[in-house]
Amino acid sequence: MTGDIYKQCIGEPTEPSNIVIFGAGGDLTKRKLVPALVKMLRCGLLHKKSRIIGVLKGRTQADWLDSLYHGMHEYAPDIDIDAQQWQTFSALCKMVPGDLQDESTYAELATALETIDGCTHAMFYCAVPPEWYTTIAIGLNKVGLGEEKDGFRRMVIEKPFGMDLESAKKLNRELQAVLDESQIYRIDHYLGKESVQNLLVYRFANSILEPLWNRNFIDHIQISAAESIGIEYRANYYEKSGALRDMIQSHLMQVMTLVAMEPPVEFTADAVRDEKIKVLRAVRAIEPENIKKQTVAAQYSSGTIDDEPVGSYVSEEGVSPESATETFAAVRFYIDNWRWQGVPFVLWTGKRLPRRVSEIVIRFRKPPFNLFDAQASSPLANALVFRLHPDEGIALRMNAKLPGLTTEMRRSVMRAPYSEEGGDVADAYEVLLHDVLIGDATLFSRADEVEESWSIIQPILEAWKDRLAINRYHAGTWEVEGMEELLSDCVLGWHKPPY
Ligand code: BG6
């Protein structure tokens, strides 16, 4: 890619904005934010008069830019940026050195923002651990940067939003004491995945699905995120979090709300989020006596993935040898409303599984009477699969006759890969950063959603908290004790990818 960096692409153009990144020297900035901003600038979605202001300490501006440049090549090689394009991008970047707990850092930031001509909007991205969110919000407010006088002021925070119901409420209270809820953008990068948004289009722009999308036709739904990676040197966080908090309370429950919600009256942030929260409110509380029946927790022991030996969870750096933290979690939810009464929603996730696949699997009921029982090699049921990654797309599992002079049947899968729709599949961070800049909060979690999802998870956290031992599975296998039982009454049982 050479030539003019500013190319046209699809999407609402943004106004000149200051993008302030707290923790601009960290991994998230290098891996995700800068590549996304470079792509947005390159295709004209980021206004060329915007500025990227990195707040960090212990580096010079040249040093910082150098590490961003190398990060681009290491983590986003497909962007294939040339020297001229990097120069155009880096000319927009400015570093404000300082400590987050130091009031003078915010004063300096305010001064830096004042000197930027014609760019009055500001997004404050907190690419720092959550314990800093409140300090940053207070710091900004003290120097008047929380006030929306001449342009927008939006604060972006990453999960985890609390570690349980109480801490989530506390964080919401503290942030709302200095900012308006409409200024707070809670990122859940799963909602930025194009395939997740496509789910909404499939549901609400196609009339053939709606009549089937309910308890009369659907047997159960599985929403999954299998990963082959381990905890990637994040023991400090993961030991306290575990798979339930890390993936189910956040990403997978958010996806569940989109699968289960009623059509909103309009496609606006609040109309969509009002429908999502109704789903969460209808989730049946899991009683202590049902925890065992409705949940699975396990931890990986050593094994082999892609022919490479991998160690156990407890052998990872920073993990206690006695750790009973779950690296695999599954929960079977019920949504008590007219549409979903009695339909299990099984959300599951795990690290060090054989492959990285994330899917929404809608399994339909078996035909009421089976003419072809003798010829069927597996139960006759249909499934619609939304593949969130990799190979985003949709697959419909049907039953078909084998060709030839036989009545035997086989499973036939019709696939519609998203890549064949034309255009570039945007990264979740591109989608979400763009949405913050244009003020569209549809794909961001509202305070009430966050609290509601924690209150659903809370009984499981309580039941699991004093556990001393945990089931194991060998890394690189699907042999997770309890999973087959959790889905034993569901058509076709546990769906281990791929089809
Ligand atoms: C993060 C979790 O939120 O999502 C990680 O903290 C997990 O543990 C990651 O690996 C998965 O994201 P993706 O987009 O790779 O499925």
Side-chain angles (χ1 to χ4, degrees):
M1 300 272 314
T2 50
D4 186 3
I5 188 169
Y6 305 109
K7 295 234 164 79
Q8 275 309 303
C9 83
I10 308 167
E12 187 180 328
T14 56
E15 290 186 24
S17 309
N18 293 302
I19 295 155
V20 179
I21 306 176
F22 292 97
D27 241 30
L28 180 68
T29 308
K30 262 195 300 204
R31 281 177 191 253
K32 295 290 183 187
L33 305 183
V34 167
L37 291 169
V38 165
K39 270 181 87 181
M40 286 165 67
L41 180 70
R42 189 151 85 176
C43 73
L45 284 183
L46 180 65
H47 197 286
K48 52 184 163 185
K49 287 199 177 134
S50 293
R51 293 285 178 275
I52 291 119
I53 297 161
V55 182
L56 66 158
K57 59 176 184 181
R59 293 230 181 124
T60 63
Q61 163 124 349
D63 230 18
W64 173 55
L65 287 177
D66 200 45
S67 84
L68 296 183
Y69 180 70
H70 287 105
M72 279 287 305
H73 287 282
E74 187 176 347
Y75 301 116
D78 54 313
I79 293 182
D80 194 17
I81 189 162
D82 64 29
Q84 188 201 336
Q85 291 177 349
W86 178 254
Q87 213 180 358
T88 311
F89 178 79
S90 57
L92 306 183
C93 299
K94 178 174 168 54
M95 183 183 134
V96 170
D99 216 303
L100 295 181
Q101 57 203 6
D102 205 338
E103 284 185 16
S104 63
T105 305
Y106 302 92
E108 251 178 70
L109 179 62
T111 314
L113 293 184
E114 270 166 24
T115 59
I116 298 169
D117 276 350
C119 190
T120 52
H121 300 302
M123 168 210 284
F124 301 104
Y125 200 113
C126 299
V128 290
E131 47 275 25
W132 288 106
Y133 296 165
T134 306
T135 313
I136 293 174
I138 294 174
L140 291 172
N141 210 43
K142 275 203 178 139
V143 296
L145 285 177
E147 242 178 283
E148 299 200 298
K149 280 182 302 207
D150 43 1
F152 67 69
R153 302 279 184 267
R154 297 178 185 143
M155 181 166 174
V156 186
I157 57 174
E158 286 267 340
K159 71 164 250 282
F161 313 121
M163 291 301 274
D164 55 16
L165 179 58
E166 205 184 301
S167 52
K169 281 186 172 169
K170 179 169 175 279
L171 178 63
N172 282 340
R173 259 197 324 268
E174 289 171 349
L175 293 179
Q176 287 168 347
V178 283
L179 297 169
D180 189 76
E181 173 63 21
S182 63
Q183 293 176 274
I184 306 170
Y185 284 69
R186 297 177 190 79
I187 278 211
D188 185 306
H189 78 274
Y190 260 61
L191 298 194
K193 290 182 191 284
E194 283 216 57
S195 42
V196 173
Q197 295 165 63
N198 199 24
L199 165 76
L200 290 181
V201 177
Y202 257 79
R203 278 200 63 195
F204 302 127
N206 294 293
S207 53
I208 60 164
L209 288 182
E210 176 56 20
L212 307 178
W213 210 260
N214 56 53
R215 63 191 299 275
N216 299 324
F217 293 91
I218 293 179
D219 177 83
H220 75 279
I221 293 175
Q222 294 183 44
I223 302 175
S224 63
E227 296 186 277
S228 55
I229 55 167
I231 57 162
E232 312 267 280
Y233 308 102
R234 293 192 303 154
N236 204 11
Y237 155 73
Y238 203 85
E239 273 284 85
K240 286 183 247 132
S241 153
L244 180 69
R245 288 184 173 94
D246 187 43
M247 296 293 289
I248 294 190
Q249 182 276 333
S250 47
H251 306 319
L252 300 189
M253 283 181 78
Q254 280 290 326
V255 175
M256 177 172 84
T257 59
L258 298 181
V259 172
M261 75 181 190
E262 293 302 315
V265 285
E266 54 185 1
F267 200 66
T268 58
D270 275 329
V272 171
R273 297 187 298 181
D274 286 347
E275 293 307 331
K276 286 169 67 197
I277 190 117
K278 284 187 206 158
V279 173
L280 293 172
R281 289 196 185 123
V283 172
R284 189 184 305 166
I286 305 185
E287 299 300 334
E289 63 273 21
N290 289 333
I291 297 273
K292 268 212 165 112
K293 257 194 291 176
Q294 286 185 238
T295 67
V296 168
Q299 185 190 86
Y300 62 85
S301 51
S302 58
T304 308
I305 298 181
D306 291 335
D307 298 326
E308 295 287 333
V310 294
S312 62
Y313 174 67
V314 287
S315 69
E316 301 260 7
E317 201 183 310
V319 173
S320 148
E322 280 88 46
S323 172
T325 300
E326 77 285 355
T327 58
F328 183 102
V331 184
R332 177 167 166 147
F333 291 113
Y334 288 97
I335 298 172
D336 285 336
N337 62 19
W338 273 59
R339 190 186 281 269
W340 296 116
Q341 183 61 39
V343 177
F345 279 73
V346 181
L347 276 46
W348 62 266
T349 183
K351 300 245 180 231
R352 291 290 192 217
L353 291 170
R355 45 182 311 220
R356 174 177 184 247
V357 188
S358 180
E359 290 174 326
I360 302 164
V361 178
I362 317 282
R363 289 253 177 84
F364 293 91
R365 289 176 182 271
K366 286 192 277 193
F369 168 68
N370 187 1
L371 279 179
F372 302 107
D373 229 3
Q375 289 84 8
S377 53
S378 62
L380 293 184
N382 303 121
L384 181 61
V385 178
F386 291 83
R387 173 70 70 84
L388 307 185
H389 66 228
D391 313 325
E392 293 92 338
I394 289 165
L396 178 63
R397 177 196 153 141
M398 302 286 286
N399 300 298
K401 192 183 105 35
L402 262 181
L405 303 181
T406 169
T407 51
E408 264 183 58
M409 288 191 293
R410 64 149 189 220
R411 203 171 60 187
S412 156
V413 183
M414 303 175 186
R415 294 177 203 278
Y418 202 42
S419 57
E420 285 178 13
E421 300 293 329
D424 240 2
V425 179
D427 180 74
Y429 279 87
E430 272 172 79
V431 174
L432 297 170
L433 285 169
H434 177 252
D435 281 359
V436 179
L437 290 173
I438 60 168
D440 182 350
T442 312
L443 300 176
F444 297 81
S445 316
R446 216 166 48 186
D448 53 351
E449 286 181 72
V450 171
E451 291 180 18
E452 199 64 46
S453 58
W454 276 118
S455 71
I456 295 167
I457 290 294
Q458 196 64 33
I460 312 174
L461 293 177
E462 299 291 329
W464 286 4
K465 93 172 170 272
D466 296 321
R467 143 184 87 196
L468 296 173
I470 186 161
N471 285 339
R472 315 267 158 179
Y473 57 100
H474 284 289
T477 69
W478 296 110
E479 286 150 24
V480 183
E481 212 175 302
M483 273 309 277
E484 302 292 353
E485 277 156 84
L486 188 73
L487 287 128
S488 58
D489 59 340
C490 296
V491 161
L492 298 169
W494 183 20
H495 166 74
K496 301 181 209 78
Y499 267 126

